[in-house]
């Protein structure tokens, strides 16, 4: 009897929580549910999300071809394959033809001028696509860049291409704050920081020359701790990047920062780059509350002293530690006008806010006008984690990572935790 | 109703009482208090020194910081485990096919007792069950590293 009563109660609770989500729909609408798991994305009114594919493992960045073929790059091989092509042959918004190829794991992927580019943690490759948009020779990619530094930390080589034959590669710092001994309490910052010569920046290579190394490329921008989300903005004709800000202010400097300050500082910054840009790492970080570049404590800072006069200011500052892993400037015509040329950012979600509640696991939107942010950021897609509790504990079911736009103006979001790919479209007129 | 033979009953009673006995007094009371005190102190050290990376539930962070749940390092050789805390680690652990990209700094600035406590806490939390680590054991390992 008791057991039955319990079950009944459980059912009622479950039902009421389901209807709660449904009711929350006066400002948000929910996705058509076609997936094995119970996560329902929350989206602005008029938008819908479909699970395009799932169970693909660690799906990182994503690229969509002009014919609608979707390619995802995996940081762990799934069934021995490092890239999957997801094809929707009947146009129902769900991939029905899925094939894997290549045995190289990594993060970066992009399509340009009939080639599919992708990266491992040390190299960049490409495949030629034929007239039917199939890959020629899946076992033999061309090697474009080789020998990039990959030392454990910030190893992912995210890539972007411009429209003038250039390839941009992130080479993340193999360090948190360039201390003599990484992440060691009491270890001073190295000055000058030797990491900046070969990492902690964006390097530019030719998109068409084979087997390039550091010597063939140029250091395009420096002072960037680590970038995973980057995108060529065709409206400004410039490269935009999202930096992952430094960690552990409280762990390393408990006398200067309490746990709460450490959870919120520094900001995750968006930068617009040009040849020679310097964003200031490791000497400074950006404080979004004081709106200032602050001298890093490893270099004598106390949380107030400003520095970095030679470093550029961010285009925009987001809350700390949300981990921006994907950046996309929206150029489609499907979404309402306010989204045009604006930025979508996939926030992978924090870990370094502990013991404070974790945050993130969402896709943000930042409106742009005339090449500059024209308002505050807002949450575009939420509840990847599954619930507010799973967000707070950091045990998110899904973690957004890559973003891409399809030829119909829908956008795709990857999750590198369970390998779900969502297709988000605007349906209200 | 079935009749149970008394010998079977005795047998069951005997086994039951043995189980109960083993539950209540495997160790002298003093030793148990010592273990509880070490775990209690270790919990504080963990919150201060390890929690940001390995998280409050010990499950770590996907592909960044490894879990401390029933790994071969946590449950395995004590000397190797003590060395991880003293020297740090960045040779790249692999757990269930996943690797972790962050680095762990040395925590040699902690006292022998703090290291013993934190490891005893870890070995008795997050679903782990393993023998305590003593101050003397940390001292021995530290001396050999110098």
């Amino acid at each position: 009897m008791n057991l039955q009563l319990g079950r009944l109660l459980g059912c009622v609770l479950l039902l009421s929580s389901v209807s709660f989500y449904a009711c929350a729909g006066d400002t948000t609408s929910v996705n058509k549910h076609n997936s094995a798991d119970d996560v329902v994305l929350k989206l602005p009114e008029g938008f819908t999300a479909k699970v395009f594919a799932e169970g693909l493992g660690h799906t990182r960045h994503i690229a969509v071809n002009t014919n609608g073929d979707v390619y995802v790059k995996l940081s762990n091989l799934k069934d021995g394959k490092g890239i999957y092509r997801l094809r929707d042959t009947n146009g129902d918004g769900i991939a029905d033809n899925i094939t894997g190829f290549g045995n190289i794991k990594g993060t970066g992927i992009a399509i340009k001028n009939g080639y599919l580019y992708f990266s491992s943690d040390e190299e960049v490759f490409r495949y030629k696509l034929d007239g039917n948009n199939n890959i020629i020779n899946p076992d033999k990619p061309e090697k474009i860049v080789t020998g990039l530094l990959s030392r454990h930390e910030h190893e992912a080589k995210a890539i972007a291409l411009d429209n003038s034959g250039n390839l941009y590669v992130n080479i993340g710092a193999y360090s948190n704050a360039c201390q003599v001994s990484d992440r060691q309490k009491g270890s001073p910052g190295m000055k000058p920081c030797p990491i900046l010569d070969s990492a902690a920046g964006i390097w530019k290579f030719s998109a068409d020359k084979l087997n390039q190394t550091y010597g063939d490329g140029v250091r395009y921008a420096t002072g960037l701790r680590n970038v995973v989300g980057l995108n060529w903005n065709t409206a400004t004709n410039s490269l935009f990047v999202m930096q992952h800000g430094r960690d552990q202010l409280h762990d390393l400097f408990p006398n200067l920062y309490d746990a709460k300050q450490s959870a919120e500082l520094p900001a995750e910054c968006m930068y617009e780059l040009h040849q020679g840009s310097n964003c200031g790492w490791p000497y400074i970080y950006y404080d979004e509350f004081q709106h200032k570049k602050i001298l890093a404590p490893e270099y004598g800072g106390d949380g107030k002293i400003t520095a970095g006069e030679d470093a550029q200011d961010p285009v925009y500052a987001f809350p700390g530690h949300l981990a921006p892993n994907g950046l996309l400037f929206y150029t489609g015509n499907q979404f309402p006008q306010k989204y045009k040329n604006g930025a979508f950012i996939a926030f992978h979600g924090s870990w370094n806010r502990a013991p404070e509640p974790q945050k993130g696991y969402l896709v943000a939107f930042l409106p742009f006008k005339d090449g500059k942010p024209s308002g505050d950021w807002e949450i575009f897609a939420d509840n990847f984690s599954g619930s507010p509790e799973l967000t707070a504990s950091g045990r998110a079911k899904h973690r957004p990572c890559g973003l891409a736009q399809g030829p119909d103006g829908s956008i795709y979001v990857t999750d590198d935790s369970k390998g779900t790919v969502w297709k988000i479209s605007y349906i209200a007129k | 109703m079935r009749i149970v033979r008394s010998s079977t009953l005795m047998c069951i009673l005997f086994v039951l009482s043995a189980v109960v006995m083993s539950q209540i007094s495997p160790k002298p009371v003093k030793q148990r208090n010592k273990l509880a005190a070490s775990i209690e102190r270790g919990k504080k050290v963990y919150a201060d020194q390890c929690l940001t990376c390995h998280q409050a539930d010990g499950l770590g962070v996907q592909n960044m910081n490894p879990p401390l749940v029933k790994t071969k390092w946590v449950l395995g050789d004590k000397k190797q485990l003590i060395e991880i805390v003293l020297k740090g680690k960045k040779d790249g652990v692999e757990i269930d096919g996943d690797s972790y990209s962050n680095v762990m700094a040395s925590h040699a600035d902690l006292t022998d007792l703090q290291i013993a406590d934190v490891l005893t806490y870890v070995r008795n939390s997050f679903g782990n069950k393993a023998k305590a680590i003593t101050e003397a054991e940390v001292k021995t390992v530290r001396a050999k590293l110098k």
Side-chain angles (χ1 to χ4, degrees):
Chain A
M1 270 306 276
N2 252 336
L3 203 77
Q4 289 218 333
L5 206 83
R7 279 209 189 120
L8 205 85
L9 244 164
C11 267
V12 169
L13 275 175
L14 197 85
L15 274 175
S16 54
S17 68
V18 166
S19 58
F20 167 76
Y21 266 121
C23 291
D26 50 0
T27 53
T28 59
S29 75
V30 295
N31 58 327
K32 280 229 179 63
H33 210 66
N34 59 311
S35 144
D37 84 43
D38 55 351
V39 169
V40 175
L41 297 190
K42 291 172 90 176
L43 298 162
E45 182 81 63
F47 285 90
T48 183
K50 269 191 181 178
V51 172
F52 189 68
E54 63 186 338
L56 292 169
H58 295 309
T59 46
R60 299 279 287 172
H61 281 172
I62 175 166
V64 189
N65 203 354
T66 45
N67 71 338
D69 281 351
V70 173
Y71 293 87
V72 285
K73 186 81 202 79
L74 276 58
S75 60
N76 260 16
L77 301 184
K78 181 180 148 40
D79 301 329
K81 306 296 182 203
I83 296 176
Y84 277 81
R85 188 193 67 197
L86 320 173
R87 193 174 262 181
D88 171 12
T89 57
N90 62 6
D92 66 352
I94 299 166
D96 46 44
N97 177 319
I98 297 179
T99 46
F101 47 90
N103 59 354
I104 298 167
K105 48 188 181 180
T107 287
I109 195 159
I111 293 174
K112 200 84 199 176
N113 298 334
Y115 285 95
L116 177 69
Y117 290 80
F118 66 96
S119 68
S120 69
D121 292 344
E122 296 84 20
E123 301 182 298
V124 183
F125 306 84
R126 74 176 181 187
Y127 285 118
K128 178 128 189 70
L129 298 160
D130 67 17
N132 297 320
N133 288 306
N134 288 316
I135 282 172
I136 304 169
N137 230 337
D139 295 325
K140 284 214 180 70
E142 294 180 333
K143 196 174 280 185
I144 302 297
V145 185
T146 183
L148 301 176
L149 268 189
S150 171
R151 294 192 185 159
H152 226 41
E153 231 171 314
H154 306 145
E155 73 289 12
K157 301 293 181 287
I159 58 172
L161 291 114
D162 65 14
N163 293 321
S164 323
N166 298 304
L167 165 74
Y168 301 85
V169 184
N170 167 66
I171 305 176
Y174 45 92
S175 172
N176 175 40
C178 208
Q179 292 170 278
V180 172
S181 190
D182 191 20
R183 296 179 192 263
Q184 175 94 57
K185 200 194 275 179
S187 175
M190 291 187 272
K191 197 160 187 183
C193 173
I195 294 171
L196 295 167
D197 294 340
S198 57
I202 303 291
W203 265 254
K204 179 174 145 186
F205 297 94
S206 162
D208 295 308
K209 234 173 91 188
L210 303 189
N211 297 310
Q212 300 167 84
T213 61
Y214 274 102
D216 303 299
V218 293
R219 191 178 72 178
Y220 189 69
T222 189
L224 287 159
R225 181 174 171 275
N226 188 35
V227 166
V228 189
L230 76 176
N231 194 218
W232 186 260
N233 185 336
T234 51
T236 56
N237 213 26
S238 57
L239 184 68
F240 280 69
V241 301
M242 295 290 314
Q243 176 180 237
H244 279 225
R246 56 152 310 151
D247 300 329
Q248 292 187 282
L249 283 167
H250 170 68
D251 286 351
L252 300 169
F253 296 91
N255 303 334
L256 296 175
Y257 302 88
D258 63 25
K260 189 155 191 300
Q261 289 170 313
S262 191
E264 290 178 344
L265 292 173
E268 302 285 51
C269 292
M270 174 187 277
Y271 293 100
E272 180 177 7
L273 302 182
H274 300 285
Q275 176 60 51
S277 281
N278 169 22
C279 301
W281 183 91
Y283 310 116
I284 56 122
Y285 66 79
Y286 192 78
D287 181 324
E288 62 158 326
F289 306 102
Q290 302 183 60
H291 306 285
K292 281 175 186 159
K293 287 170 287 189
I294 303 292
L295 184 64
E298 288 81 0
Y299 292 89
D302 63 354
K304 294 183 198 77
I305 304 170
T306 59
E309 288 71 26
D310 56 339
Q312 71 184 56
D313 281 321
V315 167
Y316 198 83
F318 291 88
H321 308 300
L322 299 194
N325 272 10
L327 174 64
L328 170 74
F329 285 97
Y330 187 73
T331 57
N333 296 318
Q334 185 193 99
F335 290 6
Q337 187 56 30
K338 84 168 213 192
Y339 294 98
K340 191 89 181 188
N341 297 321
F344 286 101
I345 301 110
F347 284 108
H348 198 224
S350 67
W351 60 273
N352 195 46
R353 282 179 171 252
E356 295 288 308
Q358 306 290 2
K359 282 196 176 142
Y361 320 103
L362 56 86
V363 175
F365 177 71
L366 181 66
F368 267 67
K369 194 165 188 284
D370 303 327
K372 301 217 160 16
S374 58
D376 286 332
W377 79 280
E378 59 189 63
I379 295 176
F380 176 71
D382 204 358
N383 199 43
F384 287 88
S385 71
S387 73
E389 292 73 29
L390 291 169
T391 294
S393 67
R395 298 290 157 229
K397 289 192 178 169
H398 304 281
R399 305 188 70 184
C401 186
L403 291 169
Q405 183 185 311
D408 67 351
S410 296
I411 66 169
Y412 295 83
V413 186
T414 63
D415 142 46
D416 70 358
S417 188
K418 294 213 169 53
T420 303
V421 179
W422 286 271
K423 179 177 186 178
I424 301 179
S425 310
Y426 185 69
I427 45 169
K429 282 281 163 270
Chain B
M1 229 209 223
R2 268 185 65 193
I3 296 160
V4 185
R5 277 204 292 173
S6 65
S7 62
T8 324
L9 232 162
M10 285 298 286
C11 212
I12 291 173
L13 269 176
F14 178 78
V15 170
L16 263 177
S17 61
V19 168
V20 170
M21 287 301 285
S22 73
Q23 293 284 317
I24 26 181
S25 62
K27 288 173 198 151
V29 173
K30 218 175 139 195
Q31 211 177 321
R32 264 191 293 134
N33 287 346
K34 232 175 109 184
L35 177 68
S38 174
I39 291 174
E40 192 66 29
R41 289 191 306 267
K43 187 175 179 172
K44 291 205 186 74
V45 180
Y46 184 85
D48 247 24
Q49 306 285 335
C50 325
L51 187 147
T52 327
C53 293
H54 293 289
Q55 303 286 300
D57 55 11
L59 287 170
V61 180
Q62 179 194 319
N63 297 119
M64 290 232 32
N65 306 309
L68 299 178
V69 181
K70 295 178 184 161
T71 70
K72 63 178 184 194
W73 296 274
V74 170
L75 298 182
D77 179 40
K78 287 179 173 184
K79 179 172 165 278
Q80 184 184 318
L81 180 59
I82 295 166
E83 271 186 19
I84 290 176
V85 177
L86 285 171
K87 298 203 300 197
K89 197 164 173 62
K90 62 167 174 183
D91 51 350
V93 305
E94 199 182 297
I95 300 170
D96 295 337
D98 274 321
S99 56
Y100 299 87
S101 65
N102 208 349
V103 302
M104 176 166 158
S106 147
H107 288 74
D109 56 329
L110 298 177
T111 65
D112 293 343
L113 181 66
Q114 283 176 314
I115 293 175
D117 288 342
V118 76
L119 291 177
T120 300
Y121 167 72
V122 167
R123 278 158 69 94
N124 289 283
S125 309
F126 321 133
N128 299 321
K129 193 84 201 123
K131 278 217 175 96
I133 291 197
T134 66
E135 196 178 358
E137 285 167 329
V138 178
K139 192 172 178 192
T140 311
V141 176
R142 197 196 291 264
K144 285 206 185 110
L145 285 184
K146 275 178 189 156

